Amino acid sequence: MTHIDIRTDDLSGEATRALIALHLEGMHATSPPESVHALDVDRLTDPAVTFWSAWIGGELAGIGALKDFGDGRGELKSMRVHERFLGAGVGRAILRHIVDAARERG
């Protein structure tokens, strides 16, 4: 089983920013404009958003975020797995991590 290291990310790294850009590009290419709710880097750095990156062997494998709306409400944001790591369980690991964090916050 591949070890996936999931860590809080400050969005300053080149690899992270490139995967966010790829995510936004893909969302705009496949969804009507009114249905694209993905956040750009500036909006992902909002204090209400916690952003994580997933790494395998020193390579960025995926990203995901949780936006906290308060009152026990939150929303999954900007979840994306790099195409090199599709099928490796990265998406599942990020989702579990985000759900666990949301549960801990109530």
Side-chain angles (χ1 to χ4, degrees):
M1 182 172 206
T2 303
H3 174 70
I4 302 169
D5 178 28
I6 300 175
R7 55 183 95 141
T8 304
D9 194 308
D10 66 4
L11 295 103
S12 64
E14 185 178 321
T16 300
R17 287 177 170 262
L19 191 51
I20 292 167
L22 181 68
H23 175 64
L24 287 169
E25 181 182 305
M27 294 300 295
H28 286 283
T30 60
S31 301
E34 67 275 7
S35 296
V36 176
H37 304 289
L39 303 178
D40 61 17
V41 170
D42 290 337
R43 291 173 60 201
L44 286 168
T45 58
D46 182 292
V49 176
T50 305
F51 186 90
W52 292 275
S53 54
W55 300 81
I56 295 176
E59 290 187 71
L60 179 63
I63 56 173
L66 175 63
K67 183 169 185 177
D68 185 347
F69 291 112
D71 296 325
R73 297 177 309 121
E75 181 178 47
L76 179 69
K77 301 302 291 181
S78 301
M79 195 166 146
R80 180 74 177 220
V81 175
H82 193 286
E83 64 184 26
R84 284 193 318 270
F85 296 97
L86 291 174
V90 175
R92 186 178 311 109
I94 293 170
L95 182 59
R96 283 185 184 146
H97 188 86
I98 293 171
V99 169
D100 288 346
R103 282 189 180 127
E104 286 175 14
R105 297 174 188 185

